[in-house]
Amino acid sequence: MGAGTLLGATGRLSFAQSSFVPDVDLVLRAGAGEARILPGAATRVWRFTGEVLKGSPQSLQVIPDSYLGPVLRLRKGQKVRVRLSNALAEPTIVHWHGLDMPSAMDGHPHSAIEPRREFVYEFEVTNRAGTYWYHPHPHNRTGPQVYHGLAGLMLITDDEESALSLPAGAEEVVCVLQDRQFDERNQLVYSSGDMMDQAQGFLGDRVLVNGKVHPTFELATRACRLRLLNGSNARIYKLAWSDGTPLTVIGTDGGLLEHPIQQAYLTLAPGQRADVILDLTRRAVGTTFELRSEPYPSDAVDAMGMMGMRMGRGMGRGMGMGRGMGMGPMSQPAVPNGASLSLLTIRVGRREASDFHLPARLSTFDGSWAGGPTAPMRRVTLGFQHGQWLLDGRTFDMLNTTSEETVAAGSTQIWELVNEAGMMGMHMAHPIHLHGRQFRVVSRQGNAAAGLAVREGLIDSGWLDTVLVMPGETVRIKIPFSRHPGRYLYHCHILEHEDMGMMRNFRVV
């Protein structure tokens, strides 16, 4: 047993190696705390706190007055050790969303540790520069643990990005979007136990940005970089500037685009990220405007059937219909998907000179993903049957995979994601996330007319780890699989769907 090895609750090793010499060594603790979110009483939350044991103190940056976990700032090529300590009253494990790493380090639910246990992660950062994030991944409890505050950003840099001299420091703004619901005592309200909270995904009635209600960012007359994360459990945002300024997008889940893209709005599904440049050089001091989520018909992403369903308590943790299912008018959240939402305010507070010019070319992609012989095709259906969201007609199995879910290390496949109508018309948009690898969108076909209200806001031209598949749509993605062998996950990133079992393993051999 290596010097750094710790035992998990099941007796399995955490894989720390005495020969591993980290450039950055961190402690990350998951535990209970309080946060001042609304006027009056503090809100009880769960949160990540951290400490740098080795490496630059800037490797870990706390967001002021926020319950969110610290921002981890890493560089491609660094070797990183993270010592996760579980101070919760239930099992947990951390998934490094978007990173390509050995399967034992990925945060599979099978690796979940019990309270008062530790897990040691050791990995080398091999990803491109980009905006990534980390969050819990215990089966059946991912939704509530993220909802109560366990999430944080992970920002990676590399030589290619550094050469662009993109806005940094005071001109770099991180924005984690999360909708939440509070009771009269300022405490978080999660699921009522109603089946619809699981079937639709839980939607809050107000949006927090970095754990705050409608913050104002005071910026100078310079170009600014906004790193956006949709950290909500289920809400899909249609982001736009209130004054009609187009959004200039420079990056997606897997880092920089080849060229900047300007569009009227940006559709961001749970788990997805976007980097946006905001040019304030010609704005008058004192100017204010908002980032908003523009209205769209809820059935663009959420067509739950003509009859509707009301499903009561008794579902357990989403693994069946439960004894309380009944028919009747479908209960709607107070603020459904598609509601008009004001998220944050930008205020131009001071004049400063700027000589930044956004390059016409940001990155040069390795074109090998598009070339070569035709990749093998695999069809994966997304559907709803018997009270359960399914992937390829199956629910989650902690350990096993099918032959179709077994891939050769370093191989490339095309997966055809088919969003089918389910029982009684249950039909939703699903953000499908693959662990351990970025992929490219090859095509979209068959989108229903309602989906056009948000479809033009999707950006498919970059590297992604989460793709939104609209109701009635078929999306083909091309995946160059990791060379790391082992078991990884693919699942819907509506966290209630994931906890319900809309998740499967794939195995790299």
Side-chain angles (χ1 to χ4, degrees), residues 150-172:
L150 292 172
L153 283 169
M154 185 166 41
L155 308 182
I156 292 174
T157 59
D158 62 14
D159 291 342
E160 180 184 53
E161 182 191 68
S162 297
L164 298 176
S165 299
L166 295 172
E171 279 69 56
E172 181 186 58

Side-chain angles (χ1 to χ4, degrees), residues 127-342:
N127 283 64
R128 304 170 70 234
T131 304
Y132 304 89
W133 65 305
Y134 60 96
H135 60 79
H137 219 297
H139 186 40
N140 288 328
R141 294 293 292 168
T142 298
Q145 288 193 9
V146 173
Y147 185 85
H148 284 90
L150 292 172
L153 283 169
M154 185 166 41
L155 308 182
I156 292 174
T157 59
D158 62 14
D159 291 342
E160 180 184 53
E161 182 191 68
S162 297
L164 298 176
S165 299
L166 295 172
E171 279 69 56
E172 181 186 58
V173 180
V174 297
C175 297
V176 180
L177 310 178
Q178 298 173 311
D179 57 331
R180 296 293 182 260
Q181 185 174 328
F182 299 85
D183 65 17
E184 65 279 1
R185 300 181 302 278
N186 287 354
Q187 301 310 307
L188 289 166
V189 176
Y190 183 51
S191 174
S192 65
D194 193 300
M195 177 63 177
M196 292 311 297
D197 287 343
Q198 300 290 324
Q200 291 180 288
F202 191 78
L203 299 172
D205 56 12
R206 66 179 77 201
V207 178
L208 308 181
V209 180
N210 300 341
K212 303 174 186 177
V213 178
H214 199 105
T216 295
F217 295 96
E218 186 163 303
L219 302 171
T221 54
R222 302 173 65 88
C224 302
R225 179 183 190 179
L226 278 74
R227 295 183 182 258
L228 302 169
L229 161 66
N230 183 350
S232 298
N233 283 36
R235 188 171 297 280
I236 297 171
Y237 297 95
K238 182 178 179 178
L239 302 176
W241 295 116
S242 61
D243 64 354
T245 299
L247 282 97
T248 301
V249 183
I250 63 168
T252 51
D253 299 347
L256 294 171
L257 300 170
E258 291 189 288
H259 309 277
I261 293 176
Q262 281 199 342
Q263 51 194 56
Y265 67 90
L266 170 66
T267 300
L268 212 60
Q272 290 187 314
R273 289 87 66 205
D275 273 11
V276 172
I277 293 293
L278 175 62
D279 187 356
L280 299 175
T281 55
R282 293 187 173 88
R283 304 285 184 129
V285 173
T287 299
T288 62
F289 55 100
E290 294 182 337
L291 181 65
R292 301 186 56 83
S293 186
E294 293 296 311
Y296 62 85
S298 63
D299 62 3
V301 299
D302 180 1
M304 299 296 285
M306 294 297 293
M307 296 178 65
M309 304 175 71
R310 175 176 289 169
M311 306 173 189
R313 299 178 185 273
M315 193 191 75
R317 287 181 174 176
M319 303 307 293
M321 294 297 282
R323 65 175 180 268
M325 187 190 76
M327 301 305 298
M330 183 174 67
S331 57
Q332 290 289 338
V335 182
N337 260 319
S340 178
L341 300 167
S342 176

Side-chain angles (χ1 to χ4, degrees), residues 43-80:
T43 302
R44 293 187 297 274
V45 297
W46 296 343
R47 69 196 324 164
F48 288 119
T49 55
E51 178 185 358
V52 179
L53 302 180
K54 177 184 178 182
S56 169
Q58 299 304 308
S59 300
L60 188 153
Q61 296 180 341
V62 174
I63 300 177
D65 303 319
S66 175
Y67 60 75
L68 290 171
V71 178
L72 306 185
R73 290 185 175 269
L74 305 172
R75 190 169 187 88
K76 185 177 181 179
Q78 284 183 324
K79 292 184 177 180
V80 180

